[in-house]
Amino acid sequence: MSKTREIERVFLSRPTIEGAGVHLHRAFGYNEIPAFDPFLMLDDFRADSPDQYIRGFPWHPHRGIETVTYMLEGTVEHGDSMGHAGNVDAGAVQWMTAGSGIIHQEMPKPVNGRMGGFQLWVNLPRKNKMMDPRYQEIKAAEIPVVTLPGGVSVKVIAGTVAGNAGPVRDIMAEPEYLDVSLKPDAQFSHPVKAGHTAAVYVIGGSGKFDQHHHEDLANRTIALFGSEGETVGVNAGSSGVRFLFISGKPFREPIAWGGPIVMNTQEELRQAFDEYENDTFIKKRA
Ligand code: FE2
């Protein structure tokens, strides 16, 4: 008999200002390390008006991590030091492996007056922190939508649901990233690999993710599951529930975090900022 994981920590995302003055909600970040290992941060930048986000995220560096942008509405205009430019449109995912270093800008723009999405930061292990930068750019139509009996629909960005594998592959953290929607009172259960970290972030409606201890969780609630058990389960409330599910293999390495750069040691961090000052930060151009 498989055991369902219980919730270990649960809290609301917190209003935060980032970039050039973007008002967003941080589900977890620096203050929570290493609880979500291999994940570092999850930002929710769903917004009601352009003055909350239009100043965007002008040119800044990344090293040692992957940033994963998933848009629900609107678009993010992106350009970088490799000469790469494009938009991340509604329903699309940009899985960017910064590796040895990238300098980019990310500018949210409304479409039909609406803009919203999420950015997840996934750590890289020591042996891959200085790998060549790369992108996996996934259009909305490339993300499988798996419909399960009883009113469940799952967009599979990474991982596998009912034999349907998501398009993101070959990531060190072996992540799963699902966007799950349940109709009112529907149920969903999903396996988690032994030893992998698992969490959910509720983005609509409400549901019960732990039969023993917790009330229904609603919009902007993050729940981290304990490590005991082989599945996570949810029972949707009377108006259904929509949530992001993430799981991944923890690296259990030291974390030295300086803004957009995350290394293993303070020395590596200092070197990264020295190189940024000296214009030697970028190791690989397209
Ligand atoms: Fe960035």
Side-chain angles (χ1 to χ4, degrees):
M1 171 99 185
S2 76
K3 182 179 183 314
T4 304
R5 291 194 185 198
E6 295 179 12
I7 292 173
E8 184 177 284
R9 293 173 72 171
V10 59
F11 46 95
L12 289 173
S13 58
R14 289 150 293 194
T16 307
I17 298 176
E18 265 299 347
V22 176
H23 293 253
L24 51 76
H25 285 77
R26 179 152 296 157
F28 62 88
Y30 184 87
N31 293 333
E32 283 71 41
I33 53 173
F36 289 81
D37 185 8
F39 304 106
L40 294 165
M41 193 180 85
L42 177 61
D43 277 351
D44 172 354
F45 53 89
R46 290 176 293 166
D48 293 323
S49 72
D51 62 353
Q52 294 173 299
Y53 59 81
I54 207 70
R55 288 177 290 280
F57 305 89
W59 296 99
H60 59 278
H62 289 290
R63 175 180 284 178
I65 61 169
E66 308 189 88
T67 68
V68 182
T69 306
Y70 173 41
M71 296 301 290
L72 297 186
E73 301 181 292
T75 191
V76 169
E77 291 178 7
H78 176 263
D80 78 16
S81 53
M82 298 169 79
H84 190 106
N87 282 15
V88 187
D89 293 326
V93 171
Q94 182 198 63
W95 199 295
M96 184 189 87
T97 304
S100 61
I102 217 159
I103 299 172
H104 75 165
Q105 64 172 345
E106 303 158 285
M107 306 303 282
K109 298 280 156 62
V111 173
N112 299 324
R114 302 289 306 164
M115 192 292 302
F118 308 94
Q119 189 167 87
L120 176 69
W121 287 14
V122 187
N123 207 356
L124 285 168
R126 186 190 305 270
K127 67 177 171 26
N128 296 104
K129 283 209 179 276
M130 296 300 284
M131 70 185 282
D132 286 346
R134 67 174 192 195
Y135 289 92
Q136 296 189 44
E137 299 201 281
I138 315 291
K139 293 190 166 54
E142 297 171 290
I143 297 175
V145 182
V146 180
T147 305
L148 301 171
V152 179
S153 162
V154 186
K155 294 184 181 186
V156 187
I157 296 165
T160 303
V161 173
N164 299 274
V168 175
R169 305 281 164 84
D170 301 323
I171 303 293
M172 310 315 150
E174 301 173 28
E176 290 202 297
Y177 190 174
L178 312 175
D179 175 354
V180 185
S181 296
L182 271 66
K183 294 216 162 85
D185 305 312
Q187 298 181 9
F188 175 68
S189 169
H190 184 70
V192 184
K193 285 186 189 165
H196 283 215
T197 302
V200 292
Y201 182 60
V202 180
I203 62 172
S206 68
K208 196 178 289 297
F209 292 80
D210 182 331
Q211 294 310 306
H212 302 291
H213 303 296
H214 290 280
E215 299 302 306
D216 277 15
L217 308 185
N219 192 26
R220 299 199 199 280
T221 308
I222 179 90
L224 174 68
F225 293 94
S227 55
E228 297 263 311
E230 296 80 46
T231 61
V232 296
V234 52
N235 293 339
S238 57
S239 53
V241 66
R242 184 177 182 185
F243 61 93
L244 305 178
F245 168 85
I246 54 173
S247 75
K249 179 185 172 181
F251 297 126
R252 305 189 198 288
E253 291 182 353
I255 293 172
W257 185 333
I261 298 173
V262 184
M263 305 302 288
N264 294 113
T265 68
Q266 291 299 320
E267 172 58 24
E268 290 165 343
L269 212 51
R270 192 188 57 73
Q271 182 184 342
F273 283 105
D274 282 354
E275 289 179 0
Y276 189 59
E277 290 282 304
N278 301 333
D279 279 337
T280 56
F281 183 79
I282 296 299
K283 307 300 180 196
K284 173 85 178 176
R285 293 178 195 274

